[in-house]
Amino acid sequence: MATAAKRPKVTAGGSPAEDGRADPLSGFLDWCEKVGLELSPKVYVSKEGTVSDYGLLAREDLQIGEVLFTIPRAALLSQHTTSIRSLLEKDQASLESQSGWVPLLLSLLHEYTASNSHWRPYFSLWPDFSSLDHPMFWPEEERVRLLQGTGILEAVDKDLANIQLEYTSIILPFMESHLDLFDPKLHTPELYQSLVAFVMAYSFQEPLDEEDEDEKEPNPPMMVPMADILNHVANHNANLEYSLECLKMVTTQPISKGQEIFNTYGQMANWQLLHMYGFAEPYPGNTDDTADIQMVTVRRAALQGASTEAERQLVSEQWDFLCQLEMVGEEGAFVIGWEEVLTEEELSMTLKVLCMAAEEFKEFKEHEGWEEDTEDEESLTLSNETIPRLKASWKKLLRDSALLTLESYRSDLKAEQDLLNDKVAYGKLSPREQQALQVRYGQKRILHQLLELTS
């Protein structure tokens, strides 16, 4: 297994949640017992032998399907279990937001600073949230220098704008209406931002039933004590299962005595892991890694390949038509994985339309994008196997788009390869520089692989 990804370490320090215990872990484990959270005797929580901070380790060999711990729903911290739940329910309409996280964040603001909170021993594991090292906490100059081209800069800018908007337009008015429970001098924008990062890195979202997926909004996030102690790797060996009464962590692979137990946070590319969780998986560990080619970059590549005004006009009309079909948009991206294109329907249609001659496009447009199914279905699948067999014009457009994407980074693949291979130089990098390097390197490797497939 590749070296596991590391969560940022959380250092001890005074905070409203500090309960004065010398050992927060034993206080947390006592609390687990009181709330009916059952931990298997075959596993234990420790900071020793883990990839980062706390983790769960096997005390003895484990088989597939063994239950590691069971968490009753009453122990979960959510908008439905917090001591201010009736208040949140009453003011539900005024707490709606783009993220859908406001009720949980208000619950956390209250419980984290309330001396009598039911979850106080749980919070004592994170006495100082300021140690979370998501890119949203990095100085802007450092973010730009290390992360330009990765997609993280744009995601962080949106996050920071949303956090500020939510705090000033929803959180602050709510707190000012309930000054018996909240104090804006204590529940500051800085604490709010730290709690957003805490929810990003440690919360869980219960999946919807398959039949509800299209109809219902996703479930709001919630904090799941004990489950959030597990670290993540793509090749994980345990998984959280949900039932009506409780949640269970169950092994998905045999695990040897002394091994760390890893959960999965889902199929996450390294840029998503760094943005949401504050770490990246070292190359080549993350089999779920991806590189994005911005949709507008493909348009730019097509315009670049047009040599006359008429051809440029045609590209603009084709792009507008793809927008009408909802295949592309100004902010969307095509997602390229190690083995295949994850957005193959959108990219296939985009390559097809942008590579049409004027007559062919006119006819295609008249049929509103429908046509006789004469083409080999395989032409719509974009994988490492099929990309080399695409039409020459499709391959050229895809190649030009990958080259333009590579230009958006501040460094080239070779410089990063040399740095990764030089253990001494790599060791001298700061943790932020190391994480950012892993993100950039994985993305560039995928884009260079695409260049080879389209050459």
Side-chain angles (χ1 to χ4, degrees), residues 144 238 319:
V144 172
W319 180 263

Side-chain angles (χ1 to χ4, degrees), residues 152-171:
I152 297 176
L153 293 183
E154 297 77 4
V156 168
D157 286 346
K158 278 185 188 168
D159 289 341
L160 293 175
N162 284 339
I163 288 168
Q164 191 183 1
L165 181 68
E166 276 186 1
Y167 186 84
T168 53
S169 64
I170 306 175
I171 300 291

Side-chain angles (χ1 to χ4, degrees), residues 125-136:
L125 297 178
W126 291 282
D128 184 0
F129 289 140
S130 67
S131 307
L132 291 167
D133 202 31
H134 294 57
M136 69 159 82

Side-chain angles (χ1 to χ4, degrees), residues 295 322-329 334 345-346 349-350:
M295 290 175 171
L322 286 164
C323 288
Q324 282 169 34
L325 293 178
E326 295 185 351
M327 287 289 160
V328 296
F334 299 114
E345 184 192 351
E346 293 84 353
M349 182 63 90
T350 301

Side-chain angles (χ1 to χ4, degrees), residues 9-15 18 21-22 24 47 53-54 124-131:
K9 287 211 178 291
V10 180
T11 56
S15 89
E18 186 65 270
R21 259 181 199 279
K47 281 189 176 185
D53 213 55
Y54 292 111
S124 70
L125 297 178
W126 291 282
D128 184 0
F129 289 140
S130 67
S131 307

Side-chain angles (χ1 to χ4, degrees), residues 293 397-407 447 450-451:
I293 293 178
L397 181 53
L398 198 44
R399 184 181 174 74
D400 290 348
S401 303
L403 286 167
L404 282 175
T405 302
L406 284 162
E407 282 174 16
L447 291 166
L450 187 58
L451 292 181

Side-chain angles (χ1 to χ4, degrees), residues 75-110:
L76 308 177
L77 172 47
S78 75
Q79 64 201 63
H80 305 299
T81 58
T82 174
S83 57
I84 59 166
R85 59 188 173 274
S86 56
L87 192 59
L88 297 175
E89 225 165 277
K90 185 165 74 72
D91 288 10
Q92 197 176 343
S94 66
L95 302 180
E96 283 177 13
S97 69
Q98 199 184 340
S99 69
W101 292 10
V102 165
L104 175 62
L105 287 161
L106 280 166
S107 307
L108 290 172
L109 277 172
H110 175 67

Side-chain angles (χ1 to χ4, degrees), residues 374-403:
T374 51
E375 285 186 59
D376 185 352
E377 270 302 297
E378 192 176 59
S379 69
L380 286 175
T381 68
L382 296 175
S383 65
N384 293 0
E385 199 184 320
T386 61
I387 288 171
R389 301 203 291 268
L390 293 174
K391 290 176 184 172
S393 59
W394 290 33
K395 282 200 287 187
K396 183 181 184 312
L397 181 53
L398 198 44
R399 184 181 174 74
D400 290 348
S401 303
L403 286 167

